Amino acid sequence: MRKIMGAKVLFFFALLSFSAVSAFARDEEDQGLVMNFYKDSCPQAEDIIKEQVKLLYKRHKNTAFSWLRNIFHDCAVQSCDASLLLDSTRRSLSEKETDRSFGLRNFRYIETIKEAVERECPGVVSCADILVLSAREGIVSLGGPYIPLKTGRRDGRRSRADVVEEYLPDHNETISGVLDRFAAMGIDTPGVVALLGAHSVGRTHCVKLVHRLYPEVDPALSPDHVPHMLHKCPDQIPDPKAVQYVRNDRGTPMVLDNNYYRNILDNKGLLIVDHQLAYDKRTRPYVKKMAKSQDYFFKEFSRAITLLSENNPLTGSKGEIRKQCNLANKLH
């Protein structure tokens, strides 16, 4: 009888130990997003990405705008899982080829960064993390704040082109629609106002703004700004493939700063959403505050980018680590 009882006790403790080990293994397997996720598996990962972004920026200044747009276009659509980077296949359209992605470019340079990381640590660092960290370094290249971001994302296997329009607001959308879409990701009104401050850099293609110039000029536009816009966009129906665009901020076009807010308060915003941001009673107080304080803009921008980067990521055993960022891995 004692032997039987002893065996039962030993079995009970063995079961407890196994459960504890299993729970620990599960925690180890999926720790979610954490700071410096690759500290053991690829300690040089973040430095490599930083160095590659710097090198690419020296050669091609517009890459920084691309990194910034990528995080928005990828993470805002259901998950921060690098689905944006996938090429079209016979069965699915790439998100890169949807109307909402008009003007996105420089995807080949994401592959350049991925190749550099793969040389150091094959099969370890996800394209989703490369996309997010390159955005962070791009922001720094443009004079913006350094934002500490968590890593540990994994890559999705499918394009989300069929739902892009449900999640990404259009440049002509009402400010209510824009606020609602970001609120679904946990980003509040000052966060939205700060994120739209990304319009401080880069350029807008004439395709996106001719409706404010033709057949009649939108009376909400500053009369001082209209001649420049008409000069840059002389065609009522511009060729989408032509290099016809207007700089978002003529004063500091290559610097992420709060000049954007002063511009939209002066009716120099290029897009309908810029104008609405300046005059809607829910957003105007934050626009005025950011126009006065770059520190406040940077604080809210950093907070919003952090929330965006943590939107519903794949972690643990979900998803995969792609070998190439534009292709899902082949399943064996």
Side-chain angles (χ1 to χ4, degrees):
M1 187 69 177
R2 283 181 185 173
K3 285 183 179 179
I4 293 171
M5 288 295 290
K8 283 184 177 178
V9 168
L10 283 171
F11 176 74
F12 175 71
F13 279 112
L15 194 62
L16 274 181
S17 299
F18 176 76
S19 299
V21 168
S22 297
F24 178 75
R26 282 196 301 274
D27 288 343
E28 279 292 289
E29 181 184 320
D30 189 358
Q31 51 187 316
L33 297 182
V34 295
M35 288 295 180
N36 206 7
F37 177 84
Y38 300 106
K39 67 180 185 296
D40 297 321
S41 57
C42 188
Q44 298 301 314
E46 296 196 21
D47 287 337
I48 293 169
I49 294 167
K50 179 180 179 179
E51 190 58 32
Q52 286 294 315
V53 168
K54 278 185 177 179
L55 288 171
L56 288 163
Y57 182 68
K58 281 181 182 177
R59 292 183 212 143
H60 314 281
K61 291 287 189 281
N62 62 17
T63 53
F65 312 143
S66 299
W67 309 144
L68 186 49
R69 281 194 73 186
N70 284 350
I71 192 172
F72 170 64
H73 281 259
D74 185 61
C75 295
V77 183
Q78 288 190 327
S79 172
C80 224
D81 66 349
S83 60
L84 172 69
L85 304 179
L86 290 170
D87 288 343
S88 290
T89 67
R90 283 178 294 177
R91 295 183 179 180
S92 68
L93 179 72
S94 169
E95 291 171 41
K96 294 181 282 191
E97 295 181 34
T98 62
D99 289 341
R100 285 288 198 275
S101 298
F102 178 79
L104 285 178
R105 52 201 287 201
N106 291 322
F107 292 110
R108 66 188 182 279
Y109 297 130
I110 285 280
E111 293 298 338
T112 302
I113 299 172
K114 173 68 168 172
E115 287 164 10
V117 175
E118 286 292 301
R119 286 193 292 272
E120 181 74 18
C121 313
V124 174
V125 181
S126 69
C127 297
D129 276 340
I130 289 172
L131 183 149
V132 165
L133 294 177
S134 62
R136 175 179 73 188
E137 301 306 331
I139 289 165
V140 172
S141 298
L142 294 166
Y146 175 84
I147 308 169
L149 294 175
K150 294 177 181 177
T151 42
R153 296 165 195 78
R154 288 170 64 86
D155 301 321
R157 290 190 47 80
R158 66 180 184 87
S159 162
R160 301 177 191 274
D162 56 330
V163 296
V164 162
E165 294 198 6
E166 291 176 38
Y167 291 89
L168 284 181
D170 184 59
H171 61 286
N172 285 324
E173 194 151 342
T174 65
I175 199 68
S176 293
V178 173
L179 291 172
D180 288 346
R181 293 192 197 216
F182 280 106
M185 289 180 268
I187 299 174
D188 58 14
T189 301
V192 174
V193 174
L195 279 181
L196 284 172
H199 290 176
S200 145
V201 293
R203 59 196 188 182
T204 298
H205 198 286
C206 293
V207 165
K208 298 292 186 183
L209 53 85
V210 285
H211 60 285
R212 301 194 73 191
L213 299 173
Y214 304 99
E216 295 178 352
V217 173
D218 184 343
L221 283 168
S222 166
D224 296 339
H225 205 45
V226 170
H228 175 71
M229 292 174 70
L230 287 168
H231 173 69
K232 290 289 187 179
C233 300
D235 303 317
Q236 188 166 351
I237 304 175
D239 178 357
K241 295 180 181 177
V243 184
Q244 291 185 315
Y245 60 85
V246 181
R247 293 264 181 212
N248 289 341
D249 176 2
R250 291 174 67 190
T252 54
M254 301 294 291
V255 182
L256 182 68
D257 59 17
N258 64 338
N259 209 35
Y260 164 75
Y261 301 102
R262 291 191 284 271
N263 283 339
I264 63 175
L265 288 170
D266 287 341
N267 298 316
K268 292 178 182 175
L270 300 181
L271 302 173
I272 295 287
V273 72
D274 298 327
H275 178 73
Q276 291 183 348
L277 196 72
Y279 287 94
D280 188 277
K281 63 183 181 182
R282 292 164 292 182
T283 52
R284 185 174 173 84
Y286 300 109
V287 170
K288 292 172 79 173
K289 192 171 179 180
M290 289 179 198
K292 288 180 181 175
S293 171
Q294 180 142 292
D295 287 344
Y296 177 65
F297 163 47
F298 280 178
K299 185 187 82 164
E300 290 298 329
F301 184 77
S302 299
R303 186 173 64 86
I305 287 287
T306 300
L307 289 169
L308 186 61
S309 75
E310 295 177 6
N311 183 35
N312 194 29
L314 302 178
T315 57
S317 59
K318 296 173 186 172
E320 64 185 21
I321 305 296
R322 285 183 214 147
K323 293 175 182 175
Q324 286 180 241
C325 291
N326 62 326
L327 299 171
N329 294 341
K330 288 182 180 178
L331 294 176
H332 296 290

